[in-house]
């Protein structure tokens, strides 16, 4: 599974980037330790994203003995029940407010927004030599009460630890 994250990151012919992001998010969820909360694992797609349809393909997948549920949320809607929040680029002007609303809660935040990790987001997708890779802000995850597997941290192109 770990090798799939590393070697499966090339944008291959016939594989859309949204599908690749969905595969990453599914696999990320296997390497995150959430405090016990609910029987399902809810992935919230916040804002307008071209990847939303590909992410919805994760609906019903099993992760750590829980069923994954994918829901779309618009600006202003509650993120209270979310375990993972994918923040779409459409929400860039409101990024600080979104991250503030989730601060201290055990919610994995993910985005492609360039300043995402520096602003306190946890995982940011980046393109490196035509490959989709990711950065991790381990300090933000730790502050939210989430544990990230060392295997996943090793695969990140950059890790913020403090």
């Amino acid at each position: 599974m770990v090798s799939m994250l590393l070697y499966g990151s090339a944008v291959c012919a016939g594989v859309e980037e949204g599908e690749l992001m969905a595969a990453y998010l599914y696999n990320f969820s296997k390497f995150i330790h959430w405090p016990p909360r609910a029987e399902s694992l809810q992935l919230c797609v916040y804002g307008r994203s071209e990847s939303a349809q590909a992410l919805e393909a994760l609906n019903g997948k099993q992760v750590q003995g829980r069923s994954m549920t994918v829901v779309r949320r618009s600006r202003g809607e509650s993120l209270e029940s979310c375990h993972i929040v994918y923040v779409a680029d459409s929400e860039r002007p409101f990024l600080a407010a979104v991250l503030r609303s989730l601060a201290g809660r055990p919610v994995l935040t993910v985005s492609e927004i360039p300043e995402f990790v520096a602003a306190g987001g946890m995982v940011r997708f980046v393109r490196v030599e035509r490959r989709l890779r990711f950065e991790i802000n381990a300090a933000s995850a730790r502050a939210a009460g989430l544990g990230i597997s060392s295997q996943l941290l090793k695969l990140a192109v950059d890790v913020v630890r403090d």
Side-chain angles (χ1 to χ4, degrees):
M1 187 166 333
V2 172
S3 63
M4 186 252 177
L5 279 172
L6 182 61
Y7 299 111
S9 64
V11 178
C12 304
V15 177
E16 295 293 323
E17 191 166 281
E19 293 170 339
L20 201 52
M21 281 188 215
Y24 265 117
L25 281 172
Y26 176 67
N27 284 304
F28 289 164
S29 66
K30 295 177 180 182
F31 291 93
I32 304 295
H33 173 74
W34 282 273
R37 276 187 22 179
E39 303 220 357
S40 70
L41 189 68
Q42 192 167 86
L43 165 61
C44 297
V45 180
Y46 191 72
R48 294 180 316 277
S49 172
E50 293 178 13
S51 302
Q53 188 171 4
L55 294 172
E56 286 177 344
L58 298 175
N59 232 347
K61 296 268 188 188
Q62 291 294 309
V63 177
Q64 298 182 18
R66 303 181 203 182
S67 179
M68 186 175 278
T69 305
V70 181
V71 296
R72 292 187 191 200
R73 294 283 191 249
S74 297
R75 189 173 312 123
E77 287 187 287
S78 173
L79 299 172
E80 183 74 27
S81 62
C82 305
H83 294 85
I84 303 170
V85 174
Y86 176 81
V87 182
D89 191 59
S90 67
E91 302 310 301
R92 186 183 300 205
F94 312 100
L95 179 59
V98 172
L99 292 176
R100 251 191 327 273
S101 76
L102 296 169
R105 295 187 42 228
V107 176
L108 182 70
T109 56
V110 182
S111 187
E112 292 180 83
I113 297 172
E115 60 276 11
F116 191 71
V117 167
M122 296 174 199
V123 179
R124 176 182 169 239
F125 288 116
V126 295
R127 282 157 204 79
V128 177
E129 297 177 6
R130 295 181 32 188
R131 292 180 179 266
L132 186 64
R133 301 294 303 272
F134 56 94
E135 302 171 333
I136 296 177
N137 186 329
S140 289
R142 193 173 39 256
L146 298 177
I148 299 180
S149 164
S150 61
Q151 292 175 312
L152 187 59
L153 293 172
K154 287 178 190 175
L155 296 176
V157 295
D158 189 31
V159 177
V160 176
R161 296 189 187 274
D162 294 321

